[in-house]
Amino acid sequence: MRRPPLAAALLALVAACAAPRTPQRPTPRPPPGPSRLLGTEVSFSAPDLAGRDVQVGGAAARGRVQVVDFWASWCEPCKEQLPHLDRLAREHGEDGLRVTGVAFDEDRAAVEAFLAPAPVAFEILWDPGGAALGDRLDVQRLPTTLVIDRRGLVRHVHRGYDRAEGEKLEEEVRLLLAEPAP
Protein backbone atom coordinates (compact mmCIF):
# COMPACT_ATOMS: atom_id res chain seq x y z
CA MET A 1 0.00 0.00 0.00
CA ARG A 2 1.38 3.40 -1.00
CA ARG A 3 1.10 6.15 1.63
CA PRO A 4 0.10 9.68 0.64
CA PRO A 5 2.99 12.19 0.96
CA LEU A 6 1.53 13.80 4.11
CA ALA A 7 1.12 10.44 5.84
CA ALA A 8 4.70 9.50 4.96
CA ALA A 9 5.96 12.82 6.35
CA LEU A 10 4.00 12.36 9.58
CA LEU A 11 5.33 8.81 9.93
CA ALA A 12 8.90 10.11 9.52
CA LEU A 13 8.28 12.80 12.16
CA VAL A 14 6.90 10.27 14.65
CA ALA A 15 9.91 8.02 14.04
CA ALA A 16 12.24 10.94 14.83
CA CYS A 17 10.56 11.34 18.23
CA ALA A 18 11.82 7.92 19.27
CA ALA A 19 15.34 8.54 18.02
CA PRO A 20 17.97 6.08 19.25
CA ARG A 21 21.18 7.18 20.94
CA THR A 22 23.09 7.05 17.68
CA PRO A 23 21.62 7.51 14.21
CA GLN A 24 22.83 4.05 13.14
CA ARG A 25 20.84 2.03 15.70
CA PRO A 26 17.22 1.02 15.18
CA THR A 27 14.63 2.85 17.23
CA PRO A 28 14.09 0.90 20.46
CA ARG A 29 10.93 1.07 22.49
CA PRO A 30 11.31 1.60 26.23
CA PRO A 31 10.83 -1.61 28.18
CA PRO A 32 7.51 -2.05 29.96
CA GLY A 33 7.46 -0.83 33.51
CA PRO A 34 9.65 1.65 35.33
CA SER A 35 13.30 2.38 34.63
CA ARG A 36 15.82 0.39 36.63
CA LEU A 37 17.16 3.75 37.86
CA LEU A 38 14.08 4.71 39.87
CA GLY A 39 14.96 5.01 43.55
CA THR A 40 18.71 4.73 42.93
CA GLU A 41 21.43 7.29 43.45
CA VAL A 42 23.08 8.56 40.28
CA SER A 43 26.61 9.88 40.31
CA PHE A 44 28.87 10.36 37.31
CA SER A 45 31.32 12.75 35.76
CA ALA A 46 31.67 13.91 32.18
CA PRO A 47 33.56 16.69 30.43
CA ASP A 48 31.92 20.00 29.67
CA LEU A 49 32.40 21.56 26.24
CA ALA A 50 35.68 23.14 27.39
CA GLY A 51 37.01 19.71 28.43
CA ARG A 52 36.73 20.24 32.20
CA ASP A 53 35.47 17.22 34.14
CA VAL A 54 32.15 17.96 35.90
CA GLN A 55 30.60 15.85 38.66
CA VAL A 56 26.84 15.24 38.55
CA GLY A 57 25.01 13.77 41.51
CA GLY A 58 26.66 12.27 44.54
CA ALA A 59 27.36 13.94 47.86
CA ALA A 60 28.17 17.35 46.38
CA ALA A 61 24.68 17.62 44.84
CA ARG A 62 22.67 16.61 47.90
CA GLY A 63 20.18 19.24 48.94
CA ARG A 64 19.48 20.26 45.32
CA VAL A 65 16.86 18.97 42.92
CA GLN A 66 18.50 17.92 39.67
CA VAL A 67 17.25 17.46 36.14
CA VAL A 68 19.72 15.58 33.94
CA ASP A 69 18.81 15.49 30.26
CA PHE A 70 20.50 13.25 27.69
CA TRP A 71 20.07 14.71 24.20
CA ALA A 72 21.65 15.22 20.77
CA SER A 73 21.58 18.08 18.27
CA TRP A 74 20.12 15.80 15.57
CA CYS A 75 17.18 14.73 17.77
CA GLU A 76 14.03 16.75 16.97
CA PRO A 77 12.23 16.21 20.32
CA CYS A 78 15.47 17.12 22.09
CA LYS A 79 15.51 20.44 20.24
CA GLU A 80 11.96 21.09 21.40
CA GLN A 81 12.77 20.23 25.02
CA LEU A 82 15.90 22.36 25.46
CA PRO A 83 14.04 25.72 25.64
CA HIS A 84 11.69 24.22 28.24
CA LEU A 85 14.67 23.04 30.33
CA ASP A 86 16.31 26.45 29.87
CA ARG A 87 13.20 28.14 31.28
CA LEU A 88 13.11 25.72 34.24
CA ALA A 89 16.78 26.43 34.99
CA ARG A 90 16.25 30.19 34.85
CA GLU A 91 13.03 30.19 36.92
CA HIS A 92 14.06 27.69 39.60
CA GLY A 93 17.85 27.87 39.83
CA GLU A 94 17.70 30.06 42.91
CA ASP A 95 15.15 27.67 44.45
CA GLY A 96 17.68 24.82 44.42
CA LEU A 97 17.29 23.34 40.92
CA ARG A 98 20.32 22.25 38.92
CA VAL A 99 19.74 21.37 35.26
CA THR A 100 22.46 19.56 33.35
CA GLY A 101 22.39 18.54 29.71
CA VAL A 102 24.53 15.68 28.41
CA ALA A 103 24.98 15.77 24.63
CA PHE A 104 25.42 12.41 22.92
CA ASP A 105 26.57 13.88 19.59
CA GLU A 106 29.66 12.22 18.13
CA ASP A 107 31.15 15.61 17.25
CA ARG A 108 31.55 18.32 19.88
CA ALA A 109 31.56 20.97 17.15
CA ALA A 110 27.99 19.96 16.23
CA VAL A 111 26.89 20.61 19.82
CA GLU A 112 28.65 23.97 19.90
CA ALA A 113 27.20 24.99 16.53
CA PHE A 114 23.71 24.01 17.66
CA LEU A 115 23.95 25.98 20.92
CA ALA A 116 25.67 29.07 19.45
CA PRO A 117 22.49 30.86 18.25
CA ALA A 118 20.45 29.77 21.29
CA PRO A 119 22.65 29.24 24.37
CA VAL A 120 21.07 27.73 27.47
CA ALA A 121 21.33 28.76 31.12
CA PHE A 122 22.49 25.34 32.25
CA GLU A 123 25.64 23.31 31.98
CA ILE A 124 26.20 21.15 28.91
CA LEU A 125 28.38 18.06 29.19
CA TRP A 126 29.51 15.82 26.36
CA ASP A 127 29.55 12.02 26.07
CA PRO A 128 30.39 11.16 22.43
CA GLY A 129 27.75 8.73 21.17
CA GLY A 130 26.69 7.98 24.75
CA ALA A 131 29.65 5.61 25.00
CA ALA A 132 30.39 6.19 28.69
CA LEU A 133 26.92 6.85 30.10
CA GLY A 134 24.29 5.48 27.71
CA ASP A 135 24.10 1.89 28.92
CA ARG A 136 25.14 2.68 32.48
CA LEU A 137 22.27 5.15 32.91
CA ASP A 138 19.67 3.20 30.92
CA VAL A 139 19.44 5.76 28.12
CA GLN A 140 17.50 3.85 25.49
CA ARG A 141 16.23 6.79 23.45
CA LEU A 142 16.68 10.52 23.27
CA PRO A 143 15.80 12.59 25.03
CA THR A 144 15.94 10.73 28.32
CA THR A 145 15.50 12.99 31.33
CA LEU A 146 16.19 12.04 34.95
CA VAL A 147 14.55 13.97 37.79
CA ILE A 148 16.56 13.57 40.99
CA ASP A 149 15.39 14.60 44.46
CA ARG A 150 17.33 16.46 47.17
CA ARG A 151 18.58 13.16 48.63
CA GLY A 152 20.16 12.27 45.28
CA LEU A 153 17.63 9.58 44.31
CA VAL A 154 16.08 9.26 40.85
CA ARG A 155 12.38 9.91 41.33
CA HIS A 156 11.22 10.18 37.70
CA VAL A 157 12.50 9.12 34.28
CA HIS A 158 11.13 10.60 31.07
CA ARG A 159 11.83 8.95 27.72
CA GLY A 160 10.95 11.19 24.81
CA TYR A 161 9.39 14.63 24.92
CA ASP A 162 6.17 16.35 24.00
CA ARG A 163 4.20 19.17 25.58
CA ALA A 164 2.42 16.82 28.03
CA GLU A 165 5.76 15.34 29.17
CA GLY A 166 7.11 18.86 29.62
CA GLU A 167 4.18 19.86 31.83
CA LYS A 168 4.55 16.67 33.85
CA LEU A 169 8.29 17.30 34.28
CA GLU A 170 7.65 20.85 35.44
CA GLU A 171 5.11 19.69 38.04
CA GLU A 172 7.52 17.02 39.33
CA VAL A 173 10.24 19.64 39.72
CA ARG A 174 7.90 22.00 41.61
CA LEU A 175 6.83 19.22 43.99
CA LEU A 176 10.42 18.13 44.64
CA LEU A 177 11.52 21.71 45.28
CA ALA A 178 8.73 22.01 47.85
CA GLU A 179 10.04 19.01 49.79
CA PRO A 180 12.31 19.86 52.73
CA ALA A 181 16.04 19.46 52.29
CA PRO A 182 17.49 16.38 54.05
Side-chain angles (χ1 to χ4, degrees):
M1 179 173 102
R2 186 164 184 256
R3 289 188 177 93
L6 180 58
L10 287 174
L11 183 61
L13 181 62
V14 168
C17 292
R21 280 188 304 182
T22 58
Q24 299 82 11
R25 291 182 56 171
T27 302
R29 292 260 183 220
S35 167
R36 64 179 166 83
L37 292 178
L38 286 174
T40 66
E41 185 174 345
V42 171
S43 178
F44 66 88
S45 65
D48 64 12
L49 295 178
R52 294 179 298 258
D53 203 43
V54 176
Q55 180 67 37
V56 177
R62 282 200 181 74
R64 300 196 73 157
V65 172
Q66 300 170 79
V67 172
V68 182
D69 182 57
F70 300 92
W71 67 284
S73 65
W74 47 261
C75 165
E76 289 303 318
C78 300
K79 293 177 187 179
E80 293 174 25
Q81 184 178 26
L82 284 178
H84 186 140
L85 294 175
D86 185 51
R87 186 175 54 76
L88 277 177
R90 291 176 193 276
E91 289 179 6
H92 298 291
E94 291 183 13
D95 301 330
L97 176 66
R98 178 185 181 193
V99 177
T100 304
V102 182
F104 275 14
D105 289 76
E106 295 286 343
D107 181 14
R108 185 179 77 208
V111 178
E112 293 169 339
F114 174 78
L115 293 171
V120 293
F122 56 89
E123 199 160 38
I124 299 293
L125 309 181
W126 181 49
D127 179 18
L133 301 172
D135 289 335
R136 178 177 160 208
L137 296 176
D138 199 25
V139 179
Q140 298 179 15
R141 65 189 270 188
L142 297 176
T144 290
T145 308
L146 308 179
V147 182
I148 303 169
D149 69 15
R150 293 181 189 273
R151 296 173 297 152
L153 302 177
V154 176
R155 295 277 290 272
H156 307 281
V157 177
H158 296 266
R159 292 184 177 126
Y161 177 79
D162 60 24
R163 183 180 304 260
E165 280 296 306
E167 291 170 3
K168 187 175 175 183
L169 172 72
E170 191 163 347
E171 182 62 20
E172 292 163 356
V173 165
R174 271 196 227 106
L175 290 172
L176 290 175
L177 286 170
E179 290 180 357

